[in-house]
Amino acid sequence: MNMPHGGIVGLPGSLDGPDDENAVIGLYRMHVLGLTRLAVVMLGDRPAAEDVVQDAFCGLFTHWRGLSDPAKALPYLRSSVLNGCRNHRRRWYRAGREPAGWENAESAESSVLHAEEHREVLAGLQRLPARQREALVLRFYLELAEPEIAQTMGISQGTVKSTTSRALAALGRILREEK
């Protein structure tokens, strides 16, 4: 990713200097796996998830100078990944295709999740509305607190609570239907 002149390949002038570049590279190294897992859970398709995460990091590189607080870079990335997943699913549906099933996701994480119970839960998650699915994944998969979920999703904490509650109830109904 480093160029001899300190810039990022394909993103000329997006960062002020080596410290900014190192900050973004550090974020990438620390969070790319977790963000990719988030996108895989949201999409059920590893290659699409990797594309979404890469786009989110490219957006961060491009808009680094526009961040009011570099400490908000991780919430920015999470929001970007969720928005990218939403956009990707919209494109699937507009094209008249269903998203790839979990049987096609071949990540290390998905191989661990091959137990029948886990497949049912993941399939149930895919049947939830996007906002409910996002709230559950952020809460129980990424283990974020309500304020972080609210910031990531761009909603109030009260909406996080009610959405999570409704999502859990809906997931329970879905799982009972499948048995």
Side-chain angles (χ1 to χ4, degrees):
M1 290 181 80
N2 287 329
M3 290 178 45
H5 303 301
I8 302 297
V9 175
L11 298 165
S14 57
L15 303 174
D16 286 332
D19 289 340
D20 290 343
E21 184 175 321
N22 288 334
V24 176
I25 291 169
L27 279 168
Y28 179 86
R29 287 181 178 149
M30 289 175 44
H31 299 287
V32 70
L33 183 58
L35 292 168
T36 302
R37 287 176 181 160
L38 168 63
V40 167
V41 170
M42 297 305 298
L43 296 173
D45 180 354
R46 174 90 182 186
E50 290 171 347
D51 289 345
V52 165
V53 171
Q54 182 172 340
D55 288 347
F57 274 99
C58 286
L60 178 63
F61 278 121
T62 303
H63 297 102
W64 182 260
R65 282 190 240 166
L67 284 179
S68 60
D69 180 3
K72 295 182 179 176
L74 184 56
Y76 170 90
L77 285 167
R78 286 185 190 126
S79 294
S80 294
V81 168
L82 286 177
N83 287 333
C85 290
R86 289 179 195 130
N87 291 335
H88 197 81
R89 290 181 71 87
R90 278 189 210 109
R91 284 191 297 274
W92 276 336
Y93 290 118
R94 284 188 191 134
R97 296 187 326 236
E98 288 293 319
W102 284 101
E103 64 277 0
N104 294 331
E106 296 187 4
S107 67
E109 297 78 25
S110 67
S111 65
V112 171
L113 299 176
H114 279 1
E116 184 60 31
E117 182 178 290
H118 289 209
R119 279 194 299 248
E120 289 174 3
V121 171
L122 292 173
L125 276 172
Q126 293 298 317
R127 291 180 53 193
L128 292 175
R131 182 182 272 191
Q132 289 181 0
R133 183 175 52 253
E134 292 166 8
L136 288 182
V137 169
L138 291 171
R139 174 66 184 98
F140 296 105
Y141 191 73
L142 289 185
E143 299 179 347
L144 297 182
E146 287 174 358
E148 292 174 298
I149 297 169
Q151 182 181 18
T152 299
M153 293 179 68
I155 58 178
S156 71
Q157 286 185 48
T159 303
V160 169
K161 288 178 185 181
S162 62
T163 301
T164 302
S165 177
R166 278 192 234 106
L168 287 171
L171 185 59
R173 285 190 300 276
I174 289 169
L175 293 176
R176 281 190 298 276
E177 285 173 10
E178 293 179 358
K179 291 202 178 214

